[in-house]
Amino acid sequence: MTTTREKSTSVSSTRTTDRIPAALVLGDGRVFRGRAFGATGTTLGEAVFSTAMTGYQETMTDPSYDRQIVVATAPQIGNTGWNDEDGESRGDRIWVAGLVIRDLSRTVSNWRAARSLPEEMASQGVIGIQGVDTRAIVRHLRDKGSVKAGIFSGDAADRPVDDLVAEVNGQADMKGADLAANVSTDETYIVEPSGEFAGKDPRFTVLAYDMGIKTNTPRNFAARGIRTVVVPAGSPVTPLLEQYKPDGVFVSNGPGDPATADDMVEQVRTVLGKKIPFFGICFGNQILGRALGMETYKLKFGHRGINVPVINHLTGVIDITAQNHGFALRGRAGEPFETDFGTAQVTHTCLNDDCVEGVALDDGMAFSVQYHPEAAAGPHDANPLFDQFIELMEGNN
């Protein structure tokens, strides 16, 4: 399987130095010049920003960031180095197309750090630029929206600006991009119960579609005594239901345009038709919405960070959530709508912009949210969603 990075990144050197020139070039012609770190060369992607003050390792290894150049709003990055425990992808692969920061910490101070951030980026061929005004870049992206971009370092940074802008604009649009296959597992694997449930019969079996699943999701299931069968995106669900006889089906987070995921929409419709408990997060929320007849659209600059307030309209409770999405469902809270599977409604919205953050069937058999319950943003505001899914499976047995 050819990865997006292989398509969009040209690495000419893996030297880590702050003396190599680099340029962040946006598709609208704006250029921000700084210095290279990590690998050097050229990388292309969509420029987005993350408001997270911590967790750059989790961000960079999140498969949902495939083909995106992330601008960090936190002014200093790299002080915690890189460890072998906090990666959110199998094999700790870095999925961001590139990283844009203001100041690179010269000292690694975390006791778990095995190496520095630039060392890990260089070893994985990930290109970064430091020494740029990230505040100005973020203000520009908020005004103009997420745009095509490229980081050019080393000799590439000295090319004529018009040529660089043309190369940036020559890449494919994020709208209409089907990226789940790039990040999904190639083959099925199983995560068994852990902790106090290790070695015991699982309480339930969950069939989990890997649209770009983060490792902490099956870990949360395992800690609750659940066996998780992780399968490739788009896998036909009927034979999987016959083989594994799951008590519930889960669809994970992931990158790309949900409007391209017709195959997954059909799999979820099959699950809903069979009255099997369903839980989706992020991309899974958009897939459930589409299965219920809702439309999706591309947000101007998306939601990315660990401090996004979301209100649950069923309970009135506000959660502080971790999010990473550039697309959303079109709908409004308080307006129930009919579907092929019964009445549904928008259950959650974002307090910042009224964006849809959750949908559910009124019979309780399917629900989803547009954020990460496995992340510690609130710090644990959304984590009980895993328990809600378990209660749903218990009630269905």
Side-chain angles (χ1 to χ4, degrees):
M1 180 170 61
T2 302
T3 66
T4 300
R5 182 172 301 140
E6 290 169 344
K7 297 176 182 177
S8 64
T9 304
S10 173
V11 177
S12 58
S13 170
T14 56
R15 290 179 295 160
T16 302
T17 175
D18 60 5
R19 298 179 181 178
I20 297 177
L24 171 67
V25 180
L26 304 183
D28 59 13
R30 286 293 301 270
V31 178
F32 298 85
R33 295 196 177 274
R35 304 181 306 280
F37 75 103
T40 59
T42 296
T43 187
L44 303 175
E46 181 181 57
V48 301
F49 61 89
S50 171
T51 60
M53 297 296 290
T54 61
Y56 60 79
Q57 180 170 337
E58 292 89 336
T59 293
M60 296 175 70
T61 54
D62 180 353
S64 294
Y65 277 109
D66 184 36
R67 241 189 75 185
Q68 294 172 82
I69 295 174
V70 176
V71 182
T73 60
Q76 188 177 63
I77 300 294
N79 60 306
T80 59
W82 197 275
N83 63 62
D84 295 317
E85 302 167 37
D86 289 343
E88 284 286 7
S89 60
R90 294 188 77 201
D92 292 338
R93 172 171 174 171
I94 296 176
W95 283 101
V96 299
L99 185 63
V100 182
I101 66 174
R102 177 180 174 181
D103 296 321
L104 177 65
S105 176
R106 294 182 177 274
T107 302
V108 174
S109 57
N110 189 279
W111 63 276
R112 296 186 303 156
R115 52 204 163 275
S116 71
L117 171 62
E119 288 172 333
E120 184 66 23
M121 290 174 62
S123 69
Q124 294 202 37
V126 179
I127 295 169
I129 180 172
Q130 61 172 310
V132 293
D133 188 345
T134 50
R135 293 170 301 178
I137 298 171
V138 170
R139 286 174 65 90
H140 185 76
L141 294 178
R142 281 186 60 88
D143 289 341
K144 305 296 183 181
S146 299
V147 298
K148 293 178 180 180
I151 301 176
F152 302 85
S153 58
D155 294 339
D158 295 329
R159 293 167 51 198
V161 170
D162 288 347
D163 291 349
L164 299 181
V165 173
E167 183 171 346
V168 165
N169 286 323
Q171 66 181 295
D173 291 332
M174 186 61 73
K175 185 176 182 179
D178 183 3
L179 302 180
N182 289 345
V183 302
S184 181
T185 181
D186 290 325
E187 56 187 26
T188 298
Y189 64 93
I190 297 176
V191 179
E192 297 288 355
S194 63
E196 64 178 298
F197 300 99
K200 302 178 181 178
D201 291 338
R203 297 171 64 191
F204 298 105
T205 296
V206 168
L207 183 69
Y209 275 93
D210 178 9
M211 312 301 292
I213 197 168
K214 299 204 295 183
T215 56
N216 206 29
T217 297
R219 189 180 299 130
N220 267 273
F221 281 133
R224 290 167 168 81
I226 292 176
R227 170 187 288 139
T228 307
V229 180
V230 185
V231 300
S235 300
V237 72
T238 299
L240 294 172
L241 296 177
E242 295 173 355
Q243 179 178 0
Y244 295 105
K245 296 178 173 52
D247 302 285
V249 175
F250 171 84
V251 175
S252 79
N253 59 288
D257 187 344
T260 65
D262 292 343
D263 54 348
M264 277 306 307
V265 171
E266 288 307 310
Q267 309 315 317
V268 171
R269 286 181 61 84
T270 297
V271 171
L272 300 180
K274 292 179 178 293
K275 296 291 185 179
I276 298 172
F278 176 87
F279 177 30
I281 66 171
C282 304
F283 204 96
N285 178 63
Q286 297 157 8
I287 294 301
L288 175 60
R290 285 198 57 203
L292 297 177
M294 302 175 73
E295 297 180 347
T296 59
Y297 66 100
K298 193 176 189 302
L299 293 167
K300 182 176 180 181
F301 47 78
H303 296 170
R304 296 173 181 88
I306 56 175
N307 53 1
V308 183
V310 170
I311 183 168
N312 182 335
H313 293 281
L314 302 180
T315 65
V317 173
I318 297 172
D319 290 341
I320 302 302
T321 68
Q323 300 195 14
N324 171 20
H325 64 109
F327 294 84
L329 290 169
R330 194 180 302 279
R332 296 178 61 183
E335 297 180 356
F337 57 96
E338 293 302 318
T339 77
D340 293 338
F341 312 99
T343 305
Q345 62 179 306
V346 172
T347 56
H348 299 68
T349 56
C350 179
L351 289 177
N352 290 337
D353 58 7
D354 292 327
C355 178
V356 174
E357 296 283 353
V359 295
L361 284 172
D362 285 355
D363 66 5
M365 289 301 294
F367 71 98
S368 60
V369 294
Q370 190 62 61
Y371 48 89
H372 291 277
E374 84 289 346
H380 303 294
D381 292 13
N383 200 257
L385 288 169
F386 288 107
D387 301 312
Q388 180 180 335
F389 188 37
I390 290 176
E391 291 174 2
L392 177 56
M393 291 187 287
E394 287 175 337
N396 195 53
N397 281 347

